[in-house]
PDB file of all heavy atoms in Angstrom:
ATOM      1  N   TYR O  98       0.051  13.276  -0.485  1.00  0.00           N
ATOM      2  CA  TYR O  98       0.923  13.840   0.551  1.00  0.00           C
ATOM      3  C   TYR O  98       1.999  12.834   0.956  1.00  0.00           C
ATOM      4  O   TYR O  98       3.182  13.178   1.065  1.00  0.00           O
ATOM      5  CB  TYR O  98       0.099  14.235   1.785  1.00  0.00           C
ATOM      6  CG  TYR O  98       0.943  14.771   2.915  1.00  0.00           C
ATOM      7  CD1 TYR O  98       1.334  16.103   2.937  1.00  0.00           C
ATOM      8  CD2 TYR O  98       1.365  13.936   3.946  1.00  0.00           C
ATOM      9  CE1 TYR O  98       2.130  16.602   3.969  1.00  0.00           C
ATOM     10  CE2 TYR O  98       2.162  14.417   4.979  1.00  0.00           C
ATOM     11  CZ  TYR O  98       2.533  15.744   4.991  1.00  0.00           C
ATOM     12  OH  TYR O  98       3.324  16.226   6.002  1.00  0.00           O
ATOM     13  N   GLY O  99       1.579  11.589   1.176  1.00  0.00           N
ATOM     14  CA  GLY O  99       2.535  10.552   1.557  1.00  0.00           C
ATOM     15  C   GLY O  99       3.598  10.340   0.498  1.00  0.00           C
ATOM     16  O   GLY O  99       4.794  10.237   0.805  1.00  0.00           O
ATOM     17  N   LEU O 100       3.176  10.287  -0.757  1.00  0.00           N
ATOM     18  CA  LEU O 100       4.129  10.085  -1.849  1.00  0.00           C
ATOM     19  C   LEU O 100       5.098  11.253  -1.963  1.00  0.00           C
ATOM     20  O   LEU O 100       6.274  11.062  -2.290  1.00  0.00           O
ATOM     21  CB  LEU O 100       3.377   9.900  -3.169  1.00  0.00           C
ATOM     22  CG  LEU O 100       2.761   8.515  -3.386  1.00  0.00           C
ATOM     23  CD1 LEU O 100       1.812   8.544  -4.565  1.00  0.00           C
ATOM     24  CD2 LEU O 100       3.856   7.479  -3.613  1.00  0.00           C
ATOM     25  N   LYS O 101       4.615  12.444  -1.703  1.00  0.00           N
ATOM     26  CA  LYS O 101       5.508  13.613  -1.758  1.00  0.00           C
ATOM     27  C   LYS O 101       6.609  13.483  -0.716  1.00  0.00           C
ATOM     28  O   LYS O 101       7.783  13.725  -1.008  1.00  0.00           O
ATOM     29  CB  LYS O 101       4.709  14.896  -1.521  1.00  0.00           C
ATOM     30  CG  LYS O 101       5.556  16.155  -1.602  1.00  0.00           C
ATOM     31  CD  LYS O 101       4.716  17.406  -1.411  1.00  0.00           C
ATOM     32  CE  LYS O 101       5.581  18.657  -1.498  1.00  0.00           C
ATOM     33  NZ  LYS O 101       4.773  19.896  -1.306  1.00  0.00           N
ATOM     34  N   GLN O 102       6.233  13.076   0.502  1.00  0.00           N
ATOM     35  CA  GLN O 102       7.232  12.920   1.562  1.00  0.00           C
ATOM     36  C   GLN O 102       8.224  11.803   1.223  1.00  0.00           C
ATOM     37  O   GLN O 102       9.433  11.928   1.446  1.00  0.00           O
ATOM     38  CB  GLN O 102       6.537  12.605   2.899  1.00  0.00           C
ATOM     39  CG  GLN O 102       5.484  13.597   3.325  1.00  0.00           C
ATOM     40  CD  GLN O 102       5.976  15.033   3.289  1.00  0.00           C
ATOM     41  OE1 GLN O 102       7.013  15.357   3.864  1.00  0.00           O
ATOM     42  NE2 GLN O 102       5.242  15.898   2.603  1.00  0.00           N
ATOM     43  N   ILE O 103       7.706  10.712   0.679  1.00  0.00           N
ATOM     44  CA  ILE O 103       8.549   9.564   0.354  1.00  0.00           C
ATOM     45  C   ILE O 103       9.501   9.889  -0.792  1.00  0.00           C
ATOM     46  O   ILE O 103      10.685   9.538  -0.764  1.00  0.00           O
ATOM     47  CB  ILE O 103       7.671   8.349   0.006  1.00  0.00           C
ATOM     48  CG1 ILE O 103       6.869   7.911   1.235  1.00  0.00           C
ATOM     49  CG2 ILE O 103       8.511   7.189  -0.518  1.00  0.00           C
ATOM     50  CD1 ILE O 103       5.729   6.974   0.912  1.00  0.00           C
ATOM     51  N   SER O 104       8.986  10.566  -1.825  1.00  0.00           N
ATOM     52  CA  SER O 104       9.824  10.886  -2.992  1.00  0.00           C
ATOM     53  C   SER O 104      10.922  11.870  -2.631  1.00  0.00           C
ATOM     54  O   SER O 104      11.978  11.888  -3.270  1.00  0.00           O
ATOM     55  CB  SER O 104       8.966  11.437  -4.128  1.00  0.00           C
ATOM     56  OG  SER O 104       8.341  12.656  -3.750  1.00  0.00           O
ATOM     57  N   GLN O 105      10.704  12.692  -1.612  1.00  0.00           N
ATOM     58  CA  GLN O 105      11.729  13.643  -1.202  1.00  0.00           C
ATOM     59  C   GLN O 105      12.907  12.948  -0.533  1.00  0.00           C
ATOM     60  O   GLN O 105      14.012  13.482  -0.488  1.00  0.00           O
ATOM     61  CB  GLN O 105      11.130  14.693  -0.255  1.00  0.00           C
ATOM     62  CG  GLN O 105      10.233  15.691  -0.964  1.00  0.00           C
ATOM     63  CD  GLN O 105       9.547  16.663  -0.014  1.00  0.00           C
ATOM     64  OE1 GLN O 105       9.556  16.468   1.205  1.00  0.00           O
ATOM     65  NE2 GLN O 105       8.958  17.707  -0.561  1.00  0.00           N
ATOM     66  N   LYS O 106      12.674  11.743  -0.025  1.00  0.00           N
ATOM     67  CA  LYS O 106      13.748  10.978   0.602  1.00  0.00           C
ATOM     68  C   LYS O 106      14.702  10.414  -0.446  1.00  0.00           C
ATOM     69  O   LYS O 106      15.864  10.147  -0.161  1.00  0.00           O
ATOM     70  CB  LYS O 106      13.164   9.849   1.453  1.00  0.00           C
ATOM     71  CG  LYS O 106      12.398  10.337   2.680  1.00  0.00           C
ATOM     72  CD  LYS O 106      11.845   9.176   3.466  1.00  0.00           C
ATOM     73  CE  LYS O 106      11.119   9.656   4.707  1.00  0.00           C
ATOM     74  NZ  LYS O 106      12.024  10.289   5.695  1.00  0.00           N
ATOM     75  N   SER O 107      14.175  10.181  -1.648  1.00  0.00           N
ATOM     76  CA  SER O 107      15.007   9.677  -2.740  1.00  0.00           C
ATOM     77  C   SER O 107      14.297   9.898  -4.061  1.00  0.00           C
ATOM     78  O   SER O 107      13.086   9.778  -4.148  1.00  0.00           O
ATOM     79  CB  SER O 107      15.276   8.179  -2.568  1.00  0.00           C
ATOM     80  OG  SER O 107      15.903   7.669  -3.726  1.00  0.00           O
ATOM     81  N   GLN O 108      15.056  10.208  -5.084  1.00  0.00           N
ATOM     82  CA  GLN O 108      14.503  10.370  -6.424  1.00  0.00           C
ATOM     83  C   GLN O 108      14.691   9.098  -7.241  1.00  0.00           C
ATOM     84  O   GLN O 108      14.463   9.091  -8.442  1.00  0.00           O
ATOM     85  CB  GLN O 108      15.190  11.551  -7.131  1.00  0.00           C
ATOM     86  CG  GLN O 108      15.015  12.875  -6.415  1.00  0.00           C
ATOM     87  CD  GLN O 108      13.570  13.302  -6.306  1.00  0.00           C
ATOM     88  OE1 GLN O 108      12.809  13.211  -7.264  1.00  0.00           O
ATOM     89  NE2 GLN O 108      13.165  13.761  -5.134  1.00  0.00           N
ATOM     90  N   LYS O 109      15.113   8.025  -6.620  1.00  0.00           N
ATOM     91  CA  LYS O 109      15.516   6.836  -7.363  1.00  0.00           C
ATOM     92  C   LYS O 109      14.656   5.616  -7.086  1.00  0.00           C
ATOM     93  O   LYS O 109      15.058   4.496  -7.346  1.00  0.00           O
ATOM     94  CB  LYS O 109      16.987   6.517  -7.057  1.00  0.00           C
ATOM     95  CG  LYS O 109      17.936   7.616  -7.483  1.00  0.00           C
ATOM     96  CD  LYS O 109      19.368   7.247  -7.162  1.00  0.00           C
ATOM     97  CE  LYS O 109      20.335   8.345  -7.583  1.00  0.00           C
ATOM     98  NZ  LYS O 109      21.746   8.012  -7.259  1.00  0.00           N
ATOM     99  N   TRP O 110      13.480   5.800  -6.533  1.00  0.00           N
ATOM    100  CA  TRP O 110      12.585   4.649  -6.346  1.00  0.00           C
ATOM    101  C   TRP O 110      12.167   4.104  -7.707  1.00  0.00           C
ATOM    102  O   TRP O 110      11.893   4.860  -8.628  1.00  0.00           O
ATOM    103  CB  TRP O 110      11.339   5.046  -5.561  1.00  0.00           C
ATOM    104  CG  TRP O 110      11.568   5.550  -4.160  1.00  0.00           C
ATOM    105  CD1 TRP O 110      11.202   6.765  -3.672  1.00  0.00           C
ATOM    106  CD2 TRP O 110      12.187   4.858  -3.077  1.00  0.00           C
ATOM    107  NE1 TRP O 110      11.564   6.873  -2.357  1.00  0.00           N
ATOM    108  CE2 TRP O 110      12.168   5.716  -1.959  1.00  0.00           C
ATOM    109  CE3 TRP O 110      12.761   3.586  -2.940  1.00  0.00           C
ATOM    110  CZ2 TRP O 110      12.691   5.354  -0.719  1.00  0.00           C
ATOM    111  CZ3 TRP O 110      13.286   3.226  -1.709  1.00  0.00           C
ATOM    112  CH2 TRP O 110      13.247   4.098  -0.617  1.00  0.00           C
ATOM    113  N   GLY O 111      12.087   2.787  -7.824  1.00  0.00           N
ATOM    114  CA  GLY O 111      11.665   2.184  -9.087  1.00  0.00           C
ATOM    115  C   GLY O 111      10.170   2.245  -9.297  1.00  0.00           C
ATOM    116  O   GLY O 111       9.674   2.309 -10.417  1.00  0.00           O
TER     117      GLY O 111
END
Side-chain angles (χ1 to χ4, degrees):
Y98 178 83
L100 282 168
K101 182 178 180 180
Q102 305 309 308
I103 295 165
S104 63
Q105 287 175 348
K106 293 180 178 294
S107 171
Q108 300 298 316
K109 298 180 180 179
W110 298 121

